[in-house]
Amino acid sequence: MSDATVIVGSSIGGVRTAQSLRLEGYTGDIVLVGEETELPYDKPPLSKAVLAGTAEESSIRLLTGGDADAARIRLLLGHRAIGVDIAGRTLELEGHEPVGFDNLVIATGASARPSPWGQRPGIHVLRTLEDARRLRADLLSGGHLAVIGAGFIGAEAAATARSLGLDVTVIDPLPVPMSRIFNPEIGQWFGDLHRSNGVRTIFGTGVESLEGEQGSFVLRLTNGERLNASVVLVGIGAVPNDAWLASSGLLVDNGVVLDEFCRAVDAPAVYAVGDVARWRHLTHGEDTRIEHWTNAVEQASCVAHNITHPGAPRAYTPTEYVWSDQHDWKIQVVGRVGGGASHTVIGHPEAHGRFAALYTADGTSLRGAAIVNWPKALVACRRGMATGITVQELRDKLESQLDPQPVVAS
Amino acid sequence: MPVVKADLQACQGYANCVVGATDYFDLDDDGIVVVLRTEVPETDRLRVTEAARSCPVTALVVEDA
Ligand SMILES: Cc1cc2nc3c(=O)[nH]c(=O)nc-3n(C[C@H](O)[C@H](O)[C@H](O)COP(=O)(O)OP(=O)(O)OC[C@H]3O[C@@H](n4cnc5c(N)ncnc54)[C@H](O)[C@@H]3O)c2cc1C
């Protein structure tokens, strides 16, 4: 049977879908379309080792031309998808003739939310390799970096810039950093982490205007303060790349809307994976879109299974997982944390140099966990989420492992 | 038979492998991967290869021995 699967988006979600299709024994044609001319690369190091200059760009390649040939994956790079004809099963591309498909996988990810304070040299966002190159070049000139937004990417870039010797200020309208994700007690510790590493934090304050040029920006803040900066990074979240589907007739609502098998609700030969996918998560009972690396990988393998096993599709019901490296903290978040859930904390950043916060919605079962610098707790939480451990059981287990490791006060 | 190879220098302790194939992978106290079984029978190849590919720092591969 001759068959063709066309995958749009050549980053982690798209590449892993192609590789998993071959692993599942898919024998049809696979075409991987990407807007960027770069060979597929990975994003997490862009705010960490690549920005710091401790990892080579070559270390983040997801696929070389040779790998693609060996797996019979046809790379169609440097062409942006601009539309899809669902009934005619063709994908329309910029600068290339349309490509026909039997199955289409949308893996176009997300883009950095653009700076509302204008775009000019010295004002950065961080999403692509080119963004990271440009930001790094500016950081190497030294000076003062102002980071707007204390989310994962802003916080990581702030930590990296400190390691490069810059003065760094992080500004966020939330009074407690990360409090959209965690409860305030834990969020407060993140603030402490930045300050103890020499980052100035201005929380509970917004940016009213950003004037001046590279090397001499002036940020006017909502608390009346004026802040000078040589470089600015705007880290205020991401938006799914779904606008190109506007004329397709596919249901798009902050991402491509999918059923529990990750198929478009209105076109069963169309799937989506990764940051652009909003699918019906049966155990959460709601439509869910996740902007984390592991989700893109797991969803890719589920979609590859569902394309190759149309008679026995698998519902996609993952447990969320994200990591973040900030200063000397390895932060890992499993499942769902914060919100209305109550929590219990084992360990303490200063007394033990590690901690785990366990979250429960019903007082008994584990709903999620945030873990810092504690690998055994991470494994216990990830295994426990899979087997349905209670918070009490997990607490007892972790407390017994918590040998005090006093950290010398700095 | 295919075998699992681990790059212990690269491992960062993210534990995706442990979740993907808990009978093949664990982490030690320092958060470095412990390969519990290196030989992968054909029946496990898909599952263990997917677990290896879920490593964010490509510390694991399944190769034909
Ligand atoms: C700096 C940074 C650090 C991160 N760190 C972490 C971390 O530590 N841990 C973690 O879990 N997650 C992290 N993430 C998130 C993680 O990288 C994303 O969840 C992941 O990249 C999503 O993969 P994706 O393939 O769905 O989308 P993307 O990576 O966004 O890739 C989409 C691809 O599609 C292409 N594309 C878009 N539109 C079109 C079009 N119309 N036609 C053709 N091609 C198109 C894009 O050029 C891009 O190559 C980080 C992200 C960034 C940016």
Side-chain angles (χ1 to χ4, degrees), chain A residues 63-143:
Chain A
L63 192 75
T64 63
D67 297 336
D69 287 346
R72 285 198 306 113
I73 298 166
R74 190 176 145 217
L75 294 178
L76 208 56
L77 301 179
H79 298 285
R80 193 162 69 93
I82 50 176
V84 49
D85 172 0
I86 302 290
R89 297 202 174 194
T90 46
L91 177 74
E92 291 142 33
L93 299 174
E94 208 170 66
H96 196 280
E97 62 196 27
V99 179
F101 61 81
D102 296 286
N103 297 291
L104 179 71
V105 181
I106 298 167
T108 46
S111 296
R113 179 168 288 126
S115 156
W117 302 282
Q119 297 172 11
R120 52 190 187 275
I123 302 180
H124 296 264
V125 295
L126 181 50
R127 181 79 200 179
T128 65
L129 178 54
E130 192 50 38
D131 292 340
R133 287 179 186 139
R134 275 195 232 123
L135 177 59
R136 178 168 160 77
D138 279 3
L139 295 184
L140 290 180
S141 313

Side-chain angles (χ1 to χ4, degrees), chain A residues 9 11-13 35-36 43 48 81 108-110 127 275 292-293 323:
Chain A
S11 189
I12 186 70
E35 172 174 21
E36 293 171 85
K43 295 201 165 68
K48 310 175 184 80
T108 46
R127 181 79 200 179
D275 285 12
H292 302 330
W293 190 94
W323 74 91

Side-chain angles (χ1 to χ4, degrees), chain A residues 8-14 33-36 41-48 79-82 93 107-111 126-128 152-153 156 241 244 273-276 290-294 296 321-325, chain B residues 14:
Chain A
V8 192
S10 54
S11 189
I12 186 70
V33 178
E35 172 174 21
E36 293 171 85
Y41 60 86
D42 211 10
K43 295 201 165 68
L46 298 181
S47 48
K48 310 175 184 80
H79 298 285
R80 193 162 69 93
I82 50 176
L93 299 174
T108 46
S111 296
L126 181 50
R127 181 79 200 179
T128 65
F152 282 128
I153 287 175
E156 289 183 355
N241 291 324
W244 68 279
V273 302
D275 285 12
V276 75
I290 297 178
E291 293 176 357
H292 302 330
W293 190 94
T294 303
Y321 174 65
V322 60
W323 74 91
S324 176
D325 301 337
Chain B
Y14 293 123

Side-chain angles (χ1 to χ4, degrees), chain B residues 16-58:
Chain B
N16 280 0
C17 57
V18 180
V19 175
T22 201
D23 47 340
Y24 280 80
F25 303 108
D26 200 353
L27 295 189
D28 68 15
D29 286 336
D30 298 322
I32 303 301
V33 64
V34 178
V35 180
L36 304 172
R37 301 160 60 184
T38 49
E39 297 198 330
V40 184
E42 216 39 65
T43 47
D44 282 351
R45 183 198 275 263
L46 186 124
R47 184 169 66 89
V48 180
T49 305
E50 292 278 32
R53 281 203 190 137
S54 74
C55 174
V57 289
T58 334

Side-chain angles (χ1 to χ4, degrees), chain B residues 3-17:
Chain B
V3 293
V4 181
K5 294 208 171 132
D7 178 346
L8 303 183
Q9 302 296 314
C11 176
Q12 294 289 319
Y14 293 123
N16 280 0
C17 57

Side-chain angles (χ1 to χ4, degrees), chain A residues 31-258:
Chain A
V31 183
L32 184 61
V33 178
E35 172 174 21
E36 293 171 85
T37 46
E38 294 280 352
L39 275 171
Y41 60 86
D42 211 10
K43 295 201 165 68
L46 298 181
S47 48
K48 310 175 184 80
V50 167
L51 190 61
T54 54
E56 300 280 335
E57 284 183 8
S58 59
S59 71
I60 64 166
R61 291 287 165 215
L62 291 170
L63 192 75
T64 63
D67 297 336
D69 287 346
R72 285 198 306 113
I73 298 166
R74 190 176 145 217
L75 294 178
L76 208 56
L77 301 179
H79 298 285
R80 193 162 69 93
I82 50 176
V84 49
D85 172 0
I86 302 290
R89 297 202 174 194
T90 46
L91 177 74
E92 291 142 33
L93 299 174
E94 208 170 66
H96 196 280
E97 62 196 27
V99 179
F101 61 81
D102 296 286
N103 297 291
L104 179 71
V105 181
I106 298 167
T108 46
S111 296
R113 179 168 288 126
S115 156
W117 302 282
Q119 297 172 11
R120 52 190 187 275
I123 302 180
H124 296 264
V125 295
L126 181 50
R127 181 79 200 179
T128 65
L129 178 54
E130 192 50 38
D131 292 340
R133 287 179 186 139
R134 275 195 232 123
L135 177 59
R136 178 168 160 77
D138 279 3
L139 295 184
L140 290 180
S141 313
H144 180 199
L145 170 70
V147 179
I148 308 176
F152 282 128
I153 287 175
E156 289 183 355
T160 302
R162 276 301 298 152
S163 76
L164 291 171
L166 280 85
D167 292 330
V168 181
T169 303
V170 179
I171 306 143
D172 196 296
L174 292 176
V176 180
M178 299 275 175
S179 55
R180 276 193 206 91
I181 308 175
F182 304 117
N183 51 290
E185 177 188 359
I186 306 289
Q188 203 65 55
W189 289 349
F190 280 91
D192 295 343
L193 170 71
H194 287 301
R195 287 183 291 270
S196 66
N197 282 279
V199 174
R200 179 171 177 222
T201 61
I202 307 180
F203 294 146
T205 303
V207 173
E208 229 151 51
S209 68
L210 170 50
E211 281 147 29
E213 301 299 321
Q214 176 152 19
S216 57
F217 289 115
V218 180
L219 290 83
R220 206 182 300 273
L221 308 184
T222 52
N223 66 1
E225 188 179 338
R226 286 162 61 95
L227 186 76
N228 298 316
S230 31
V231 186
V232 177
L233 172 64
V234 179
I236 54 171
V239 282
N241 291 324
D242 54 18
W244 68 279
L245 295 164
S247 64
S248 66
L250 288 173
L251 183 61
V252 168
D253 177 13
N254 184 18
V256 184
V257 183
L258 310 169

